[in-house]
Amino acid sequence: MSDAAPLTIISVSAEVAPWSKVGGLADVAAALPVALARRGHRVIGVAPRYAPYDIAWDTRRTARFGLFGAEHEVRCFHARIDGVDRVFIGHPALSRGGIYGDEHGVYGDNDLRFALLSRAAIEAVALLGLSLPDDGADTIVLAHDWHAALATVYLAARYRHHGRLVRARSLLAIHNLAHQGVFSRDRFAGLDLEEHWWPTLDMGGDVNFLKAGIMAADRLVTVSPTYAAEIRRPEHGWGLDGLLRMRAPVLDGIRNGLDTEAWNPRTDPYLPAHYDLDDLSGKAACKAALQRELSLAEDPTVPLVVFIGRLDAQKGVDLLLSAVPWLRREGAQLVVLGTGDPGLEQRLREVGDDRIRPIIDFSSALAHRLTAAADVQVVPSRFEPCGLTQLQAMRYGAVPVVAATGGLVDTVQPYDPIADQGTGWHFRAGDADDLVRALGDALYTFRQWPEAFRGLVRRGMARDWSWAEPAAAWEARMRDALAVPPWA
Ligand code: ADP
């Protein structure tokens, strides 16, 4: 709890766990609002209603907007969970089953779908009477990634510039700069924005939702300090580094937290045995059970290396594939859990044998069991805004071997054998040889220096990965935004 006035925070995102999840965005949109509510704020999490969710009741409140030449009616569904009001926006375009697309590919009208979400978010909160002050005092619109970025523009264009919510401010949370929501110029006309907003959305002649958010938001936050610095350079800026340099005074990096209740090895319902820092015997039982489950040799002395994540170029799965022959020679076991690029899925299937287990699936239960069973978790990302799997790994006593990029740098401290300090190993991002070198260090320590390895395990488990500290930092940035005039 802080002493200052409680805030009203409208968090808008395309994903929110457990209802809709592709990656870490869903975890953050689930947990950050809860952590902010625990600090005494009124938090409303707005997301699409992709499917009928049992927990949310139909408020029968509707709002209508003109977008892309048609009238659209959205319907608000509501649930109050863990101190957070969850509002789900119902509309036929949002409830086709998929989040961004289906087996035929990405939906062709994602500009409409996410403009609708962004346009409806503030209105839904007003409709439901969820303590939104008329003048927007102490009110924050927190837009996550490109899908919600237009909420920062609509706050300015449709509210503040019309004398409504004039004291409200917006924050754009950048979880991944590589995904920007780019659409052709002619789509601008459908967005219900006056022509003078075109330069805000214009990126090289196309409509760019994320760029619009970077231009319109009162403050910007990305999900780790190192990533906040990286995205201001051309190598990681995806064309937006110049703008981000311009807005650097209001751009901060706050590392993500972990839902330490959902990820608790003492109580995790997915695990066959439980453990904590004082008694790690349950972790050995989890490893044995997983080896049995996956028909791997049941042997505590064989190092078990795990990868969990989306199978795409960002995650460096190709680097991991190139390390497979070496891992095989080393006699390690490797389990890969993920879905994504069909080419990578196929290459993974082809390397499977009695030690290498590719599992092409999205399964939270298995992700938890694998993390508990693992000795080493490998995160070979080419870039990584924050990364959650290395936090999950350390919380569960798996030692991370990570690419030295973004949030991985901020959360994994390299092992120093002389000082007996550190929580994992780093290697140069994108460098397959250095990945093998770092994995080699990890396996060598696991086999030859078990006491030192246990030290790494314990230090990772002892760290506080909860949202408490990051949520306090987010609140401070929100108060910064409220203290000054609007940017747009
Ligand atoms: P990103 O957001 O780039 O996908 P993060 O590491 O930030 O990467 O978050 C990924 C989240 O999704 C983690 O909670 C991870 O455990 C989970 N996850 C990724 N792939 C799978 C999978 N195949 N099955 C279950 N959970 C997964």
Side-chain angles (χ1 to χ4, degrees):
M1 265 306 222
S2 53
D3 298 335
L7 308 176
T8 296
I9 301 162
I10 305 171
S11 164
V12 193
S13 60
E15 301 175 31
V16 58
W19 301 284
S20 48
K21 173 163 169 171
V22 172
L25 167 63
D27 295 318
V28 176
L32 175 58
V34 175
L36 288 165
R38 285 195 185 138
R39 295 181 62 79
H41 305 299
R42 180 77 191 247
V43 192
I44 303 118
V46 185
R49 182 177 183 262
Y50 294 112
Y53 305 128
D54 292 344
I55 41 86
W57 62 290
D58 182 352
T59 67
R60 298 178 192 278
R61 306 276 171 94
T62 57
R64 300 175 78 85
F65 308 103
L67 282 174
F68 293 101
E71 275 280 298
H72 296 274
E73 186 175 276
V74 298
R75 198 172 175 114
C76 306
F77 296 77
H78 174 254
R80 193 172 160 84
I81 303 168
D82 288 336
V84 174
D85 289 288
R86 300 288 178 185
V87 176
F88 298 99
I89 305 291
H91 183 277
L94 292 170
S95 57
R96 297 186 192 125
I99 297 179
Y100 306 115
D102 57 20
E103 67 277 14
H104 305 297
V106 179
Y107 294 134
D109 59 351
N110 275 344
D111 48 1
L112 163 67
R113 297 173 75 238
F114 295 115
L116 253 181
L117 169 70
S118 306
R119 184 75 183 86
I122 301 169
E123 211 53 41
V125 174
L127 265 179
L128 297 179
L130 294 170
S131 64
L132 187 63
D134 289 341
D135 65 352
D138 298 319
T139 298
I140 290 288
V141 173
L142 168 54
H144 297 272
D145 274 352
W146 74 262
H147 331 98
L150 286 191
T152 69
V153 181
Y154 287 130
L155 173 64
R158 287 277 147 271
Y159 296 87
R160 287 196 306 227
H161 290 202
H162 295 271
R164 293 170 66 199
L165 302 176
V166 288
R167 295 170 68 187
R169 298 290 180 268
S170 60
L171 265 73
L172 177 70
I174 302 172
H175 298 267
N176 194 331
L177 197 68
H179 303 289
Q180 300 180 359
V182 178
F183 306 95
S184 61
R185 164 71 170 99
D186 57 305
R187 302 298 282 170
F188 175 76
L191 291 171
D192 188 28
L193 290 166
E194 295 91 350
E195 194 60 29
H196 64 255
W197 286 98
W198 165 243
T200 301
L201 280 78
D202 172 21
M203 179 76 187
D206 289 325
V207 169
N208 184 312
F209 279 27
L210 189 71
K211 186 255 180 177
I214 291 171
M215 291 286 284
D218 294 298
R219 288 196 78 97
L220 313 172
V221 174
T222 187
V223 289
S224 71
T226 296
Y227 193 61
E230 286 173 348
I231 57 176
R232 288 185 267 146
R233 296 198 289 266
E235 313 87 88
H236 290 289
W238 300 93
L240 295 173
D241 47 292
L243 271 181
L244 290 165
R245 282 196 296 281
M246 186 187 88
R247 300 223 61 199
V250 294
L251 165 63
D252 291 281
I254 303 174
R255 72 136 177 98
N256 283 333
L258 199 59
D259 179 343
T260 45
E261 281 154 38
W263 286 91
N264 184 349
R266 220 178 273 156
T267 54
D268 188 334
Y270 294 128
L271 303 189
H274 293 118
Y275 59 95
D276 59 21
L277 201 48
D278 298 324
D279 179 5
L280 283 163
S281 56
K283 181 163 174 74
C286 287
K287 179 174 173 180
L290 187 94
Q291 286 172 324
R292 273 198 306 280
E293 178 183 343
L294 300 183
S295 307
L296 294 163
E298 191 182 324
D299 184 344
T301 67
V302 174
L304 175 63
V305 180
V306 161
F307 168 94
I308 299 168
R310 292 181 289 113
L311 304 177
D312 73 11
Q314 177 196 338
K315 297 291 173 181
V317 186
D318 53 321
L319 303 172
L320 185 59
L321 275 161
S322 72
V324 163
W326 175 85
L327 278 165
R328 215 177 255 136
R329 283 198 302 280
E330 281 290 309
Q333 294 171 344
L334 171 69
V335 183
V336 175
L337 172 65
T339 55
D341 178 70
L344 286 170
E345 289 183 353
Q346 185 52 29
R347 283 174 66 195
L348 277 165
R349 281 194 196 94
E350 283 162 10
V351 298
D353 64 14
D354 58 337
R355 286 176 196 280
I356 312 292
R357 280 279 177 284
I359 305 172
I360 309 302
D361 192 9
F362 191 96
S363 160
S364 294
L366 198 49
H368 283 241
R369 287 205 299 279
L370 273 177
T371 309
D375 298 303
V376 170
Q377 184 125 351
V378 59
V379 190
S381 310
R382 288 202 157 72
F383 68 94
E384 193 56 82
C386 179
L388 291 175
T389 60
Q390 82 282 11
L391 303 183
Q392 294 157 356
M394 287 184 277
R395 173 105 172 127
Y396 276 41
V399 178
V401 171
V402 301
T405 183
L408 301 172
V409 174
D410 297 324
T411 54
V412 177
Q413 184 193 357
Y415 177 47
D416 174 348
I418 314 256
D420 199 26
Q421 282 303 319
T423 53
W425 282 272
H426 286 189
F427 66 94
R428 273 190 301 281
D431 185 332
D433 293 336
D434 207 35
L435 165 62
V436 166
R437 192 269 313 149
L439 281 171
D441 287 349
L443 299 196
Y444 172 75
T445 310
F446 175 83
R447 285 182 162 136
Q448 305 300 325
W449 301 96
E451 252 325 295
F453 195 85
R454 270 192 290 276
L456 281 139
V457 168
R458 286 177 192 287
R459 286 191 291 275
M461 289 182 77
R463 285 281 305 268
D464 174 11
W465 297 117
S466 76
W467 272 100
E469 201 184 297
W474 274 94
E475 179 183 332
R477 299 296 76 81
M478 291 173 180
R479 293 199 186 281
D480 290 345
L482 289 164
V484 293
W487 173 261

